[in-house]
Amino acid sequence: TYGITAVRSSDSNRVASYDDLFDNKLFAFSWDYTLQENMALKGESSFSSGTKYVITDTGNEQSVGQSGQAHQLIWTNHLRHQRWSYEYEYVSPDFTTLLGSAITDRERMKLRWRNSINPDTTLTFGLLWFHNRLSGSPKTVRTDSYQPEFTVSFNAPFKRDNATLDLRLGLDRRMSADTNVADRNIGINYRDIIGATDLDLSLEHAWFDTRPYDSGNKNNEFNATLTLGT
């Protein structure tokens, strides 16, 4: 299947004297295709073209032309005990959508794998990578971010039929010419029903390491949250 969208949006009046006005046209093409019984591929491409009217420091109105593009691709594969998914996204710095939302100046990739070892144990691995400073970006420094995460989930742990237990390891790694971040965290989440009470217990330990702002010193933080409800 496929679809085509065309949107025109135009501002008429300023609420404040310094507000920017936009006159924007957006064209989008979306599609999805089933490759096999358990495998699917879908995507979308959008192209924007318009003008931004800004008020300069001297009080005069100045028009600035803007044109950009955005693309998204999603692949999913469902096997008997496994599930794979892959997402790719590209949004140019001057892409403009006034009736939706998009983070501009970013190239992004997300990979996720889920495997059910047995009816009560599931492994999940995810990796998120993105960076800015694409072609035409006004930024002078590029930042690359890597965020892997690994989770082990248990159903009915400790012979508790209504309980679940999640163990999670995560890393937030960001690198640029002036920043080096390596934040790590370990999380435990336990949910259960005891009598008429719903119990939700979360424990998290994080290590923060951001250079050069803390000169490489590792800051530790521990959080515990207990929620009881009926």
Side-chain angles (χ1 to χ4, degrees), residues 84-109:
W84 292 84
S85 66
Y86 172 81
E87 299 179 19
Y88 174 79
E89 184 179 277
Y90 177 95
V91 184
S92 66
D94 287 333
F95 178 75
T96 304
T97 172
L98 303 179
L99 302 180
S101 61
I103 300 178
T104 59
D105 190 14
R106 189 172 76 164
E107 186 176 24
R108 171 181 176 271
M109 183 274 292

Side-chain angles (χ1 to χ4, degrees), residues 65-202:
Q66 291 183 320
S67 62
Q69 54 186 299
H71 307 279
Q72 184 184 55
L73 179 68
I74 300 176
W75 171 81
T76 57
N77 187 14
H78 300 260
L79 303 176
R80 183 177 180 183
H81 299 294
Q82 298 186 47
R83 177 174 179 177
W84 292 84
S85 66
Y86 172 81
E87 299 179 19
Y88 174 79
E89 184 179 277
Y90 177 95
V91 184
S92 66
D94 287 333
F95 178 75
T96 304
T97 172
L98 303 179
L99 302 180
S101 61
I103 300 178
T104 59
D105 190 14
R106 189 172 76 164
E107 186 176 24
R108 171 181 176 271
M109 183 274 292
K110 183 179 180 180
L111 176 67
R112 183 178 176 87
W113 169 73
R114 179 184 175 95
N115 182 27
S116 297
I117 299 177
N118 55 56
D120 294 326
T121 306
T122 302
L123 304 179
T124 304
F125 173 77
L127 174 63
L128 175 64
W129 165 81
F130 58 90
H131 76 92
N132 59 1
R133 199 172 181 265
L134 307 180
S135 177
S137 172
K139 294 183 174 65
T140 59
V141 177
R142 165 172 165 162
T143 301
D144 285 86
S145 179
Y146 302 86
Q147 297 177 356
E149 184 175 278
F150 180 71
T151 304
V152 183
S153 302
F154 301 94
N155 289 322
F158 316 118
K159 298 182 180 180
R160 301 284 304 175
D161 293 339
N162 296 316
T164 60
L165 177 65
D166 297 327
L167 308 177
R168 185 185 72 257
L169 296 174
L171 172 67
D172 183 1
R173 189 80 170 92
R174 282 168 286 164
M175 296 173 291
S176 69
D178 53 11
T179 305
N180 191 337
V181 177
D183 297 341
R184 288 149 289 174
N185 65 82
I186 298 175
I188 301 174
N189 181 244
Y190 178 75
R191 294 178 296 273
D192 200 352
I193 299 177
I194 302 175
T197 303
D198 296 332
L199 181 145
D200 192 327
L201 174 64
S202 295

Side-chain angles (χ1 to χ4, degrees), residues 12-23:
S12 56
N13 298 306
R14 288 182 170 88
V15 177
S17 60
Y18 51 82
D19 286 344
D20 296 337
L21 296 181
F22 292 88
D23 185 10

Side-chain angles (χ1 to χ4, degrees), residues 180-184 206-221:
N180 191 337
V181 177
D183 297 341
R184 288 149 289 174
W207 295 264
F208 301 102
D209 186 6
T210 303
R211 305 183 185 189
Y213 303 108
D214 61 1
S215 300
N217 296 324
K218 296 178 176 60
N219 301 312
N220 296 311
E221 182 177 290

Side-chain angles (χ1 to χ4, degrees), residues 19-66:
D19 286 344
D20 296 337
L21 296 181
F22 292 88
D23 185 10
N24 191 64
K25 297 181 288 292
L26 180 70
F27 303 93
F29 174 75
S30 59
W31 55 271
D32 63 82
Y33 179 68
T34 301
L35 302 174
Q36 298 177 6
E37 182 180 357
N38 299 318
M39 186 183 301
L41 189 66
K42 63 180 180 180
E44 181 176 358
S45 294
S46 301
F47 304 88
S48 67
S49 177
T51 304
K52 179 171 69 172
Y53 299 93
V54 301
I55 300 298
T56 64
D57 295 337
T58 59
N60 298 320
E61 185 179 73
Q62 179 180 357
S63 61
V64 180
Q66 291 183 320

